[in-house]
Amino acid sequence: MTGDSAPPRPTHLPYAGIPTFARAPIVDPGGDWTADVAVLGIPYDIALGFRPGARFAPRAMREASLRYVPPFTGLDGVTRLQNVTFVDTGDVVLPSLEPELARTRITQTARQVKARCRLPVFLGGDHSVSYPLLLAYHDQPELHVIQLDAHLDFTDTRNDTRFSNSSPFRRAAQELPNLVHITTIGLRGLRHDPEAVAAARARGHTLVPMDEVEARFTEIVEALPPDRPVYLSVDVDAFDPAVLPGTSSPEPDGFPYALALRVIAALARRHQILALDVVELAPNLDPTGRSELIAARLIMETLCEVFHD
């Protein structure tokens, strides 16, 4: 069919069409493009220590994002993300069982993406991918990480490996002299590596247990001087599993959605968010599909806060 007889593209239906993130056009990471927001998937989960499935998360979040295609007009009548441009750069081409080569490709592709957009959104993958992603920011004069997570992820080694999802920020701190501070918010659970906790504190990192988040809210937000460049890493196990069950290592008594968004909104208004990664979503562990819907919505609401003018 051609001309006037051709049917319209089914972009208004969340269950129809090709599921790029928020219906964004798909581009090559190293191509000739610029955008405000660029999405890159990292379907990698061979560094997990428990239940696999995070390799399926980028695709699941893309499908869920079709429920939240901007612009958005709220009850206040304000329209958000109306003039923000999006692209989807696809997934990093990963060798399935070559972790060193996988890390190299993740860093190389992330550098291509960040050079062409204001804010990259990285869809993990297990949390080990944050290490090669952070290496793409080696040229940032001052780099801070703010991490929403039930776990510290600062272990030196686990099961004789230095590159598991328990170690991304330990490796990044050792590799990047410009990484000056890490703030981890939402810590809880029965197991904490004493050596990792001591090493993080010795380096001056800020560790905030989940049961202190509300009481220390202002302190958390104001801990860094304003306008600092921040890499924001959201491990979805920061959320209470009653809210978001689809993750490898859920921990009870985590973030309710509203409190997590309140923290992110306050940080986004106070600092320069350089990048956002969302990791450890395992959609295969949540047959209801709500985990990826919540993750996709969190991304969109974070972008609303970053691009709030």
Side-chain angles (χ1 to χ4, degrees):
M1 302 176 70
T2 60
D4 293 338
S5 61
R9 295 175 65 190
T11 57
H12 61 296
L13 298 174
Y15 51 83
I18 304 300
T20 63
F21 193 87
R23 299 287 186 200
I26 192 160
V27 299
D28 185 89
D32 183 16
W33 57 269
T34 59
D36 294 314
V37 177
V39 175
L40 175 67
I42 306 100
Y44 182 89
D45 68 359
I46 66 171
L48 283 166
F50 194 27
R51 301 183 296 176
R55 68 184 64 184
F56 305 118
R59 179 172 295 185
M61 282 188 275
R62 285 186 171 100
E63 292 182 352
S65 75
L66 303 185
R67 179 69 177 84
Y68 307 111
V69 176
F72 310 113
T73 302
L75 285 174
D76 56 5
V78 176
T79 300
R80 296 169 175 84
L81 302 183
Q82 186 167 20
N83 299 311
V84 175
T85 55
F86 286 73
V87 298
D88 189 325
T89 66
D91 292 339
V92 180
V93 179
L94 294 171
S96 58
L97 294 175
E98 296 288 347
E100 185 174 356
L101 179 56
R103 290 191 295 272
T104 298
R105 288 186 180 174
I106 292 168
T107 300
Q108 290 173 341
T109 311
R111 284 176 179 160
Q112 291 177 319
V113 171
K114 85 178 186 72
R116 292 165 171 79
C117 71
R118 175 176 167 185
L119 180 65
V121 175
F122 302 119
L123 308 178
D126 67 53
H127 217 158
S128 73
V129 305
S130 291
Y131 164 58
L133 289 171
L134 281 165
L135 292 184
Y137 291 84
H138 71 288
D139 55 350
Q140 177 67 40
E142 178 184 326
L143 181 61
H144 298 263
V145 168
I146 294 178
Q147 169 194 0
L148 270 61
D149 204 327
H151 311 109
L152 189 57
D153 294 350
F154 206 72
T155 299
D156 191 25
T157 60
R158 188 192 71 197
N159 299 330
D160 300 321
T161 179
R162 300 173 65 248
F163 297 98
S164 73
N165 68 335
S166 295
S167 305
F169 301 108
R170 186 66 165 264
R171 300 288 83 83
Q174 291 172 336
E175 184 77 15
L176 295 170
N178 61 324
L179 177 52
V180 296
H181 193 265
I182 299 175
T183 302
T184 308
I185 309 169
L187 293 164
R188 63 192 189 280
L190 293 174
R191 302 187 309 160
H192 294 283
D193 181 344
E195 190 278 337
V197 172
R201 286 178 171 156
R203 201 172 180 273
H205 296 175
T206 301
L207 281 56
V208 184
M210 185 66 231
D211 59 7
E212 298 179 11
V213 173
E214 290 197 82
R216 295 174 57 188
F217 186 87
T218 301
E219 173 195 339
I220 294 166
V221 172
E222 296 181 355
L224 299 179
D227 300 319
R228 288 305 189 263
V230 166
Y231 181 104
L232 178 60
S233 182
V234 178
D235 185 325
V236 300
D237 69 27
F239 287 96
D240 191 278
V243 176
L244 195 155
T247 189
S248 173
S249 301
E251 299 286 357
D253 298 323
F255 272 101
Y257 184 86
L259 181 58
L261 186 62
R262 183 181 165 210
V263 170
I264 290 171
L267 294 169
R269 293 297 181 98
R270 184 177 173 83
H271 299 297
Q272 175 195 0
I273 305 298
L274 298 175
L276 166 67
D277 76 35
V278 178
V279 297
E280 296 288 341
L281 175 71
N284 56 305
L285 300 177
D286 178 8
T288 72
R290 81 172 181 269
S291 293
E292 51 262 44
L293 283 166
I294 289 168
R297 176 166 171 171
L298 183 78
I299 292 169
M300 284 303 184
E301 294 206 69
T302 300
L303 296 176
C304 286
E305 297 300 333
V306 173
F307 298 93
H308 64 278
D309 294 330

